[in-house]
Amino acid sequence: MKVILKLILLLVMLSLGGCMSHTPESASATGGPDATSAVVRYQTTDVDRAVRFYTEQLGFALDLQAGTEFAAVSRGDLRLLLSGPGSSGARPMPDGRAQVAGGWNRVVLYVDDLAAIIERLREAGTSFRNDIERGMGGAQIQIEDPDGNPVELHEASAS
């Protein structure tokens, strides 16, 4: 019953969007986002698989899961919404365009030991889009979640 109530509360909060309070108390009282929150939505073909990837491979926490249609995971200040087939966030656009996984916009996760994380992800069979790129700001590499959504892992340069 608590899961259902949390789901209803989250759906109401997401649907109200800009109508929500701008006070920090609204987020802490409900445990969900408020009008000052920024979240990212990724389309996924398998919510359970996506949850396992983000929690087991990238250190996200599972905040909410609504069956096979939707989940919300978080890491630090980032809240990632995972929309599966049948979820309201995956419905086609009015002109018929389908919302699909993939693309080049991506979440950037800052890490302390890029080499160790790359080794662990390769052993787990994670797909990599490129090799390590190095620049003034540090080193980064792009990986894909199981649905082809990009994630950039970035290790900042030592000061």
Side-chain angles (χ1 to χ4, degrees):
M1 189 67 169
K2 283 185 177 183
V3 172
I4 293 171
L5 290 175
K6 282 185 177 182
L7 176 61
I8 291 169
L9 180 60
L10 177 65
L11 293 174
V12 168
M13 290 186 317
L14 291 174
S15 69
L16 291 176
C19 300
M20 293 172 58
S21 168
H22 287 271
T23 61
E25 292 79 26
S26 64
S28 61
T30 64
D34 68 9
T36 63
S37 298
V39 299
V40 173
R41 181 186 307 275
Y42 272 171
Q43 302 299 322
T44 181
T45 57
D46 185 327
V47 170
D48 290 328
R49 181 183 65 186
V51 166
R52 283 191 307 275
F53 177 78
Y54 282 98
T55 59
E56 294 174 10
Q57 299 299 324
L58 298 177
F60 280 72
L62 176 61
D63 298 329
L64 175 91
Q65 185 163 355
T68 60
E69 291 187 359
F70 175 83
V73 295
S74 61
R75 183 177 188 255
D77 292 332
L78 172 62
R79 186 169 175 106
L80 181 59
L81 308 179
L82 303 168
S83 292
S87 71
S88 61
R91 292 182 185 141
M93 295 291 104
D95 65 3
R97 285 182 294 162
Q99 297 189 56
V100 297
W104 292 101
N105 294 324
R106 57 193 175 267
V107 170
V108 178
L109 302 178
Y110 288 90
V111 300
D112 291 327
D113 189 349
L114 185 60
I117 292 171
I118 289 171
E119 183 179 333
R120 182 176 49 77
L121 290 171
R122 285 197 196 282
E123 289 173 5
T126 300
S127 177
F128 286 77
R129 286 190 169 190
N130 64 340
D131 293 321
I132 295 174
E133 296 288 339
R134 297 186 190 281
M136 290 179 46
Q140 66 267 351
I141 195 165
Q142 291 183 44
I143 62 172
E144 292 182 346
D145 76 7
D147 288 288
N149 294 306
V151 177
E152 179 179 316
L153 303 175
H154 187 106
E155 182 177 23
S157 294
S159 300

Short mmCIF file of all heavy atoms in Angstrom, two decimals, residues 61-107:
data_model
loop_
_atom_site.label_atom_id
_atom_site.label_comp_id
_atom_site.label_asym_id
_atom_site.label_seq_id
_atom_site.Cartn_x
_atom_site.Cartn_y
_atom_site.Cartn_z
N ALA A 61 20.90 4.70 -6.43
CA ALA A 61 19.95 4.12 -5.47
C ALA A 61 18.58 4.05 -6.14
O ALA A 61 18.21 4.96 -6.89
CB ALA A 61 19.86 4.99 -4.22
N LEU A 62 17.86 2.98 -5.89
CA LEU A 62 16.50 2.86 -6.41
C LEU A 62 15.57 3.64 -5.49
O LEU A 62 15.46 3.35 -4.30
CB LEU A 62 16.07 1.39 -6.46
CG LEU A 62 14.63 1.13 -6.90
CD1 LEU A 62 14.37 1.65 -8.31
CD2 LEU A 62 14.31 -0.36 -6.80
N ASP A 63 14.92 4.67 -6.03
CA ASP A 63 14.00 5.49 -5.25
C ASP A 63 12.56 4.98 -5.34
O ASP A 63 11.81 5.04 -4.37
CB ASP A 63 14.03 6.94 -5.73
CG ASP A 63 15.40 7.57 -5.57
OD1 ASP A 63 16.13 7.19 -4.63
OD2 ASP A 63 15.74 8.44 -6.39
N LEU A 64 12.18 4.51 -6.53
CA LEU A 64 10.80 4.10 -6.75
C LEU A 64 10.75 3.23 -7.99
O LEU A 64 11.43 3.51 -8.97
CB LEU A 64 9.93 5.34 -6.98
CG LEU A 64 8.48 5.06 -7.34
CD1 LEU A 64 7.64 5.01 -6.08
CD2 LEU A 64 7.96 6.13 -8.26
N GLN A 65 9.94 2.18 -7.94
CA GLN A 65 9.70 1.38 -9.13
C GLN A 65 8.22 1.04 -9.19
O GLN A 65 7.64 0.60 -8.21
CB GLN A 65 10.54 0.10 -9.16
CG GLN A 65 10.36 -0.66 -10.46
CD GLN A 65 11.43 -1.69 -10.73
OE1 GLN A 65 12.41 -1.81 -9.99
NE2 GLN A 65 11.25 -2.42 -11.81
N ALA A 66 7.63 1.27 -10.37
CA ALA A 66 6.23 0.98 -10.60
C ALA A 66 6.15 -0.13 -11.65
O ALA A 66 6.00 0.13 -12.85
CB ALA A 66 5.48 2.22 -11.06
N GLY A 67 6.31 -1.35 -11.20
CA GLY A 67 6.25 -2.50 -12.09
C GLY A 67 7.28 -2.44 -13.20
O GLY A 67 8.43 -2.08 -12.96
N THR A 68 6.84 -2.78 -14.40
CA THR A 68 7.75 -2.81 -15.54
C THR A 68 7.66 -1.56 -16.40
O THR A 68 8.28 -1.49 -17.45
CB THR A 68 7.44 -4.04 -16.43
OG1 THR A 68 6.09 -3.94 -16.89
CG2 THR A 68 7.65 -5.34 -15.67
N GLU A 69 6.89 -0.56 -15.94
CA GLU A 69 6.70 0.64 -16.75
C GLU A 69 7.58 1.81 -16.36
O GLU A 69 7.90 2.64 -17.21
CB GLU A 69 5.24 1.09 -16.69
CG GLU A 69 4.30 0.15 -17.40
CD GLU A 69 2.89 0.69 -17.48
OE1 GLU A 69 2.63 1.80 -16.97
OE2 GLU A 69 2.04 0.00 -18.06
N PHE A 70 7.98 1.91 -15.10
CA PHE A 70 8.67 3.13 -14.66
C PHE A 70 9.52 2.87 -13.43
O PHE A 70 9.15 2.07 -12.57
CB PHE A 70 7.63 4.21 -14.32
CG PHE A 70 8.22 5.46 -13.75
CD1 PHE A 70 8.75 6.44 -14.57
CD2 PHE A 70 8.28 5.65 -12.38
CE1 PHE A 70 9.31 7.59 -14.03
CE2 PHE A 70 8.84 6.79 -11.83
CZ PHE A 70 9.36 7.76 -12.67
N ALA A 71 10.66 3.56 -13.35
CA ALA A 71 11.47 3.56 -12.13
C ALA A 71 12.17 4.91 -12.03
O ALA A 71 12.40 5.59 -13.03
CB ALA A 71 12.48 2.42 -12.13
N ALA A 72 12.50 5.29 -10.81
CA ALA A 72 13.30 6.49 -10.55
C ALA A 72 14.50 6.05 -9.72
O ALA A 72 14.34 5.37 -8.71
CB ALA A 72 12.49 7.54 -9.81
N VAL A 73 15.69 6.43 -10.18
CA VAL A 73 16.92 6.14 -9.46
C VAL A 73 17.66 7.45 -9.24
O VAL A 73 17.42 8.44 -9.94
CB VAL A 73 17.81 5.12 -10.24
CG1 VAL A 73 17.13 3.76 -10.35
CG2 VAL A 73 18.19 5.64 -11.63
N SER A 74 18.55 7.47 -8.25
CA SER A 74 19.28 8.70 -7.98
C SER A 74 20.72 8.42 -7.59
O SER A 74 21.05 7.35 -7.09
CB SER A 74 18.58 9.50 -6.88
OG SER A 74 18.54 8.76 -5.67
N ARG A 75 21.54 9.41 -7.85
CA ARG A 75 22.96 9.38 -7.48
C ARG A 75 23.33 10.82 -7.15
O ARG A 75 23.35 11.67 -8.03
CB ARG A 75 23.81 8.86 -8.64
CG ARG A 75 25.29 8.73 -8.32
CD ARG A 75 26.01 8.12 -9.53
NE ARG A 75 27.38 7.80 -9.25
CZ ARG A 75 28.42 8.51 -9.70
NH1 ARG A 75 28.22 9.59 -10.43
NH2 ARG A 75 29.64 8.15 -9.39
N GLY A 76 23.58 11.09 -5.88
CA GLY A 76 23.83 12.47 -5.47
C GLY A 76 22.60 13.32 -5.78
O GLY A 76 21.48 12.95 -5.43
N ASP A 77 22.82 14.45 -6.46
CA ASP A 77 21.72 15.35 -6.80
C ASP A 77 20.98 14.95 -8.08
O ASP A 77 20.01 15.59 -8.45
CB ASP A 77 22.24 16.78 -6.98
CG ASP A 77 22.72 17.38 -5.67
OD1 ASP A 77 22.21 16.98 -4.61
OD2 ASP A 77 23.60 18.26 -5.71
N LEU A 78 21.46 13.92 -8.77
CA LEU A 78 20.84 13.51 -10.03
C LEU A 78 19.72 12.51 -9.80
O LEU A 78 19.93 11.48 -9.16
CB LEU A 78 21.89 12.88 -10.97
CG LEU A 78 21.34 12.25 -12.25
CD1 LEU A 78 20.66 13.29 -13.13
CD2 LEU A 78 22.46 11.54 -12.99
N ARG A 79 18.56 12.81 -10.32
CA ARG A 79 17.44 11.87 -10.30
C ARG A 79 17.18 11.48 -11.75
O ARG A 79 16.96 12.34 -12.60
CB ARG A 79 16.21 12.51 -9.68
CG ARG A 79 15.06 11.54 -9.50
CD ARG A 79 13.99 12.18 -8.62
NE ARG A 79 12.84 11.35 -8.52
CZ ARG A 79 12.51 10.65 -7.43
NH1 ARG A 79 13.27 10.71 -6.37
NH2 ARG A 79 11.42 9.92 -7.42
N LEU A 80 17.23 10.19 -12.03
CA LEU A 80 17.07 9.66 -13.38
C LEU A 80 15.77 8.88 -13.44
O LEU A 80 15.55 7.94 -12.66
CB LEU A 80 18.26 8.77 -13.71
CG LEU A 80 18.31 8.13 -15.09
CD1 LEU A 80 18.30 9.17 -16.19
CD2 LEU A 80 19.57 7.26 -15.20
N LEU A 81 14.89 9.28 -14.36
CA LEU A 81 13.62 8.60 -14.56
C LEU A 81 13.79 7.61 -15.70
O LEU A 81 14.25 7.97 -16.78
CB LEU A 81 12.52 9.61 -14.91
CG LEU A 81 12.36 10.79 -13.96
CD1 LEU A 81 11.25 11.72 -14.46
CD2 LEU A 81 12.11 10.33 -12.54
N LEU A 82 13.42 6.37 -15.47
CA LEU A 82 13.55 5.31 -16.47
C LEU A 82 12.14 4.94 -16.94
O LEU A 82 11.38 4.34 -16.19
CB LEU A 82 14.27 4.11 -15.86
CG LEU A 82 15.65 4.41 -15.29
CD1 LEU A 82 16.17 3.24 -14.46
CD2 LEU A 82 16.62 4.78 -16.40
N SER A 83 11.81 5.33 -18.16
CA SER A 83 10.47 5.12 -18.70
C SER A 83 10.45 3.92 -19.63
O SER A 83 11.09 3.92 -20.67
CB SER A 83 10.01 6.36 -19.47
OG SER A 83 9.81 7.43 -18.58
N GLY A 84 9.71 2.91 -19.24
CA GLY A 84 9.57 1.72 -20.05
C GLY A 84 8.37 1.80 -20.96
O GLY A 84 7.57 2.75 -20.89
N PRO A 85 8.23 0.81 -21.85
CA PRO A 85 7.07 0.77 -22.73
C PRO A 85 5.78 0.82 -21.91
O PRO A 85 5.66 0.19 -20.87
CB PRO A 85 7.20 -0.58 -23.44
CG PRO A 85 8.65 -0.95 -23.30
CD PRO A 85 9.10 -0.35 -22.00
N GLY A 86 4.86 1.62 -22.36
CA GLY A 86 3.58 1.73 -21.66
C GLY A 86 3.53 2.86 -20.65
O GLY A 86 2.46 3.22 -20.18
N SER A 87 4.67 3.44 -20.32
CA SER A 87 4.65 4.56 -19.36
C SER A 87 4.21 5.84 -20.06
O SER A 87 4.36 5.98 -21.28
CB SER A 87 6.02 4.76 -18.72
OG SER A 87 6.94 5.28 -19.66
N SER A 88 3.68 6.77 -19.30
CA SER A 88 3.23 8.03 -19.90
C SER A 88 4.39 8.80 -20.50
O SER A 88 4.23 9.51 -21.48
CB SER A 88 2.51 8.89 -18.85
OG SER A 88 3.39 9.20 -17.78
N GLY A 89 5.59 8.65 -19.95
CA GLY A 89 6.76 9.36 -20.46
C GLY A 89 7.36 8.73 -21.70
O GLY A 89 8.36 9.23 -22.22
N ALA A 90 6.76 7.66 -22.21
CA ALA A 90 7.26 7.01 -23.41
C ALA A 90 6.27 7.07 -24.56
O ALA A 90 6.54 6.54 -25.63
CB ALA A 90 7.60 5.55 -23.10
N ARG A 91 5.15 7.73 -24.35
CA ARG A 91 4.12 7.78 -25.40
C ARG A 91 4.63 8.58 -26.61
O ARG A 91 5.40 9.52 -26.47
CB ARG A 91 2.85 8.42 -24.86
CG ARG A 91 2.18 7.53 -23.83
CD ARG A 91 0.90 8.12 -23.32
NE ARG A 91 0.38 7.29 -22.25
CZ ARG A 91 -0.20 7.76 -21.16
NH1 ARG A 91 -0.37 9.05 -20.99
NH2 ARG A 91 -0.63 6.93 -20.23
N PRO A 92 4.15 8.22 -27.81
CA PRO A 92 4.56 8.95 -29.02
C PRO A 92 4.16 10.42 -28.95
O PRO A 92 3.18 10.79 -28.28
CB PRO A 92 3.81 8.24 -30.15
CG PRO A 92 3.43 6.91 -29.59
CD PRO A 92 3.26 7.11 -28.11
N MET A 93 4.88 11.25 -29.70
CA MET A 93 4.55 12.67 -29.82
C MET A 93 3.29 12.80 -30.68
O MET A 93 2.93 11.89 -31.42
CB MET A 93 5.71 13.42 -30.49
CG MET A 93 6.99 13.44 -29.66
SD MET A 93 6.83 14.47 -28.18
CE MET A 93 6.65 13.21 -26.91
N PRO A 94 2.61 13.95 -30.60
CA PRO A 94 1.39 14.14 -31.39
C PRO A 94 1.59 13.93 -32.89
O PRO A 94 0.67 13.51 -33.58
CB PRO A 94 0.98 15.59 -31.09
CG PRO A 94 1.54 15.85 -29.74
CD PRO A 94 2.85 15.08 -29.70
N ASP A 95 2.79 14.21 -33.40
CA ASP A 95 3.04 14.02 -34.83
C ASP A 95 3.42 12.58 -35.18
O ASP A 95 3.76 12.27 -36.32
CB ASP A 95 4.11 14.98 -35.33
CG ASP A 95 5.49 14.73 -34.73
OD1 ASP A 95 5.66 13.77 -33.94
OD2 ASP A 95 6.41 15.50 -35.05
N GLY A 96 3.39 11.68 -34.18
CA GLY A 96 3.65 10.27 -34.42
C GLY A 96 5.07 9.82 -34.15
O GLY A 96 5.35 8.62 -34.17
N ARG A 97 6.01 10.76 -33.90
CA ARG A 97 7.38 10.36 -33.61
C ARG A 97 7.43 9.56 -32.32
O ARG A 97 6.85 9.95 -31.31
CB ARG A 97 8.31 11.57 -33.48
CG ARG A 97 8.65 12.21 -34.81
CD ARG A 97 9.59 13.37 -34.62
NE ARG A 97 8.86 14.41 -33.88
CZ ARG A 97 9.42 15.42 -33.25
NH1 ARG A 97 10.73 15.54 -33.23
NH2 ARG A 97 8.69 16.31 -32.62
N ALA A 98 8.16 8.46 -32.37
CA ALA A 98 8.32 7.61 -31.19
C ALA A 98 9.46 8.14 -30.33
O ALA A 98 10.46 8.66 -30.83
CB ALA A 98 8.63 6.17 -31.61
N GLN A 99 9.30 8.03 -29.02
CA GLN A 99 10.38 8.35 -28.10
C GLN A 99 11.21 7.08 -27.94
O GLN A 99 10.70 6.06 -27.48
CB GLN A 99 9.83 8.79 -26.76
CG GLN A 99 9.01 10.07 -26.84
CD GLN A 99 8.67 10.59 -25.47
OE1 GLN A 99 9.54 10.83 -24.64
NE2 GLN A 99 7.38 10.76 -25.22
N VAL A 100 12.47 7.14 -28.34
CA VAL A 100 13.32 5.97 -28.32
C VAL A 100 14.59 6.25 -27.54
O VAL A 100 14.99 7.39 -27.35
CB VAL A 100 13.67 5.48 -29.75
CG1 VAL A 100 12.40 5.05 -30.49
CG2 VAL A 100 14.40 6.55 -30.53
N ALA A 101 15.23 5.17 -27.11
CA ALA A 101 16.50 5.28 -26.37
C ALA A 101 17.64 5.67 -27.30
O ALA A 101 17.55 5.51 -28.51
CB ALA A 101 16.82 3.94 -25.71
N GLY A 102 18.71 6.15 -26.70
CA GLY A 102 19.91 6.47 -27.47
C GLY A 102 20.09 7.96 -27.62
O GLY A 102 19.53 8.76 -26.89
N GLY A 103 20.86 8.37 -28.60
CA GLY A 103 21.12 9.78 -28.86
C GLY A 103 22.50 10.18 -28.33
O GLY A 103 23.32 9.33 -27.97
N TRP A 104 22.74 11.49 -28.28
CA TRP A 104 24.06 11.98 -27.86
C TRP A 104 24.01 12.84 -26.61
O TRP A 104 25.03 13.08 -25.97
CB TRP A 104 24.73 12.73 -29.01
CG TRP A 104 25.08 11.76 -30.09
CD1 TRP A 104 24.37 11.54 -31.25
CD2 TRP A 104 26.13 10.80 -30.08
NE1 TRP A 104 24.96 10.52 -31.96
CE2 TRP A 104 26.04 10.05 -31.28
CE3 TRP A 104 27.15 10.50 -29.20
CZ2 TRP A 104 26.92 9.04 -31.60
CZ3 TRP A 104 28.04 9.49 -29.52
CH2 TRP A 104 27.92 8.78 -30.71
N ASN A 105 22.85 13.40 -26.26
CA ASN A 105 22.75 14.08 -24.98
C ASN A 105 22.97 13.02 -23.92
O ASN A 105 22.52 11.88 -24.07
CB ASN A 105 21.38 14.72 -24.80
CG ASN A 105 21.15 15.84 -25.78
OD1 ASN A 105 22.07 16.57 -26.11
ND2 ASN A 105 19.93 15.96 -26.26
N ARG A 106 23.66 13.37 -22.85
CA ARG A 106 23.99 12.32 -21.90
C ARG A 106 24.15 12.86 -20.48
O ARG A 106 24.41 14.03 -20.27
CB ARG A 106 25.28 11.62 -22.31
CG ARG A 106 26.47 12.57 -22.44
CD ARG A 106 27.63 11.89 -23.15
NE ARG A 106 28.74 12.77 -23.42
CZ ARG A 106 28.90 13.44 -24.54
NH1 ARG A 106 28.03 13.35 -25.51
NH2 ARG A 106 29.96 14.21 -24.71
N VAL A 107 24.03 11.94 -19.55
CA VAL A 107 24.32 12.19 -18.15
C VAL A 107 25.84 12.11 -18.01
O VAL A 107 26.48 11.22 -18.60
CB VAL A 107 23.66 11.10 -17.28
CG1 VAL A 107 24.13 11.18 -15.85
CG2 VAL A 107 22.15 11.20 -17.37
#
